Amino acid sequence: MKETIVSGIRASGKLHIGNYLGALKQFVELQNEGNNCFFFIADLHALTTPFEPKELSQNTLEVAADYLAAGIDPKKSTFFLQSQVLEHTELAWIFNSLTSLGELNRMTQFKEKSDQHKEGINAGLLTYPTLMAADILLYKPTGVPVGDDQTQHVELTRNIARKFNNRFGKTFPEPKTYLRKPLRIMSLSDPTKKMSKTGDEALMLDDSPAEILRKLKKAPTATDAKQESPGVGNLFLILEHFADKKTFKSFSRQQEDNSIKYSELKNALAKLIADHFANFRKKKQQLLARPDQIQDILVQGGTKARKVAQATLIEVKTKIGLI
Ligand code: TYM
């Protein structure tokens, strides 16, 4: 059975392998299985943390090129910019009025982000999840592929859908995350934190082979393989996704019998990742050389998305008594 799938990525910098393994890789698979997919760049969500206008436009193009170079095909998927489909913010306002402050205050991402940006905790950071619920529910999907850090927001989206349906009549499905166990790739420099878009802690999808090796070499491991090490666990988690079964088993065996040389593991992993993204790097460069083409693709995708979004919003407005 074909499913309707929705997901987005913030326009807050180029993508890393956490974004790829946790989200983008699944997007491409779901698209190529023939599902009805809506993928977008969450440029409005990027306004909730400090930003510079020029960087925001450049980041939006970078993320668009990341999507396209990774295999998102605008002929198969509806691919668009959040800010170009006005229904997202309108439905978010309606959801704001149905969501309690308590529910929003409980979101771990809000707590983490407001700790990081103590001077500038804006209202958008708090209402981030209601915009996200609008992003999702406008398209009435069954599945929302996201990494582990976003599952709480998808759960809140399900609650909002349930609340709306109970009060105003069945309108929305209650969408689920796509992987039964969503992924969390950890930072290379501090493997107790999730990999994020800043510093040497993240492997970007377009990093050169030399850059990948340099970053991996710096990643902490353990002096003794028997020692429980989050850094080693993370390297194995990444290895599992890029290596064939034989290579993965061979390193796992060496880890178990304590004969492993982490420098060899890192060299092998660097080569696997660099090879995996060789084509991607080329395509991304070609795409970024033609930003006008990227913009055309996004405008066309926005027109397609708006048709679906408008129909849902009219239904919602009628049901809640807006005339
Ligand atoms: P963003 O840009 O922070 O992350 C994009 C996707 O990448 C996943 N991700 C990870 N997965 C595994 N390990 C990591 N270290 C890692 N870091 C990030 C995220 O879980 C996400 O799936 N709020 C969303 C953007 C959004 C959205 C939506 C998503 C806005 N509206 C509606 C789905 C549906 C976000 O945090 O993006």
Side-chain angles (χ1 to χ4, degrees):
M1 252 248 299
K2 298 295 172 211
E3 297 205 41
T4 298
I5 302 290
V6 176
S7 200
I9 298 179
R10 257 179 318 146
S12 51
K14 39 167 104 168
L15 303 188
H16 52 69
I17 58 162
N19 299 128
Y20 178 73
L21 296 177
L24 187 53
K25 184 166 173 257
Q26 270 83 257
F27 299 0
V28 177
E29 283 166 12
L30 286 160
Q31 163 196 274
N32 292 342
E33 283 163 14
N35 295 295
N36 180 25
C37 294
F38 294 84
F39 297 124
F40 62 92
I41 301 171
D43 50 352
L44 295 172
H45 276 117
L47 307 181
T48 59
T49 46
F51 70 94
E52 288 300 325
K54 266 205 191 125
E55 281 171 21
L56 178 60
S57 337
Q58 186 53 37
N59 285 340
T60 305
L61 287 173
E62 286 270 357
V63 175
D66 279 335
Y67 262 109
L68 296 167
I72 292 302
D73 177 351
K75 288 197 204 81
K76 295 183 186 163
S77 295
T78 304
F79 175 52
F80 61 101
L81 261 184
Q82 182 188 39
S83 65
Q84 289 183 358
V85 182
L86 309 184
E87 286 73 13
H88 288 235
T89 39
E90 202 170 340
L91 185 60
W93 178 259
I94 295 171
F95 287 166
N96 274 342
S97 315
L98 294 173
T99 309
S100 71
L101 267 184
E103 280 173 295
L104 295 175
N105 272 319
R106 272 199 294 279
M107 295 291 114
T108 20
Q109 182 177 291
F110 172 66
K111 288 189 213 158
E112 279 170 15
K113 290 253 157 83
S114 39
D115 277 348
Q116 278 167 21
H117 305 281
K118 279 207 170 66
E119 280 103 63
I121 307 172
N122 57 62
L125 208 51
L126 180 70
T127 56
Y128 185 114
T130 43
L131 177 56
M132 189 161 154
D135 296 338
I136 296 171
L137 294 176
L138 273 175
Y139 304 97
K140 302 191 177 182
T142 39
V144 187
V146 286
D148 176 68
D149 60 314
Q150 294 301 311
T151 52
Q152 198 187 26
H153 289 159
V154 178
E155 208 175 294
L156 180 72
T157 301
R158 276 203 296 278
N159 291 343
I160 292 176
R162 197 172 313 128
K163 212 190 272 180
F164 190 98
N165 291 343
N166 287 340
R167 178 140 178 233
F168 305 107
K170 176 95 181 107
T171 310
F172 297 115
E174 290 179 28
K176 295 198 170 57
T177 53
Y178 164 68
L179 290 179
R180 223 170 301 139
K181 198 173 173 310
L183 277 171
R184 177 176 292 250
I185 305 296
M186 307 309 274
S187 149
L188 289 183
S189 54
D190 178 359
T192 59
K193 295 197 186 119
K194 79 164 184 180
M195 184 177 282
S196 70
K197 288 172 186 160
T198 44
D200 263 2
E201 56 179 26
L203 289 176
M204 300 307 173
L205 304 190
D206 60 357
D207 275 349
S208 67
E211 190 66 358
I212 296 171
L213 184 61
R214 185 187 72 75
K215 289 181 181 174
L216 277 173
K217 274 190 171 163
K218 281 178 26 189
T221 47
T223 41
D224 181 340
K226 288 210 178 84
Q227 217 177 305
E228 203 41 50
S229 153
V232 172
N234 195 35
L235 293 181
F236 269 92
L237 179 62
I238 300 171
L239 181 72
E240 196 178 352
H241 287 91
F242 289 105
D244 56 34
K245 283 204 175 105
K246 197 170 145 228
T247 312
F248 182 72
K249 271 196 188 144
S250 155
F251 277 112
S252 302
R253 219 173 298 122
Q254 292 171 38
Q255 170 73 6
E256 273 159 29
D257 67 20
N258 210 356
S259 66
I260 192 159
K261 288 202 177 68
Y262 290 120
S263 55
E264 283 175 13
L265 170 69
K266 288 175 172 180
N267 282 331
L269 188 53
K271 169 133 185 32
L272 285 165
I273 297 174
D275 288 352
H276 185 91
F277 290 108
N279 257 336
F280 172 95
R281 287 192 295 273
K282 260 191 236 144
K283 273 202 220 157
K284 185 172 175 185
Q285 261 187 354
Q286 289 164 356
L287 284 157
L288 283 177
R290 297 292 312 271
D292 50 327
Q293 264 180 6
I294 298 182
Q295 300 212 27
D296 283 351
I297 290 174
L298 291 169
V299 168
Q300 282 171 28
T303 309
K304 258 166 80 186
R306 208 169 303 123
K307 283 202 183 110
V308 183
Q310 273 169 351
T312 307
L313 193 64
I314 290 172
E315 183 186 355
V316 166
K317 285 170 123 177
T318 310
K319 283 190 172 155
I320 67 176
L322 292 170
I323 54 170

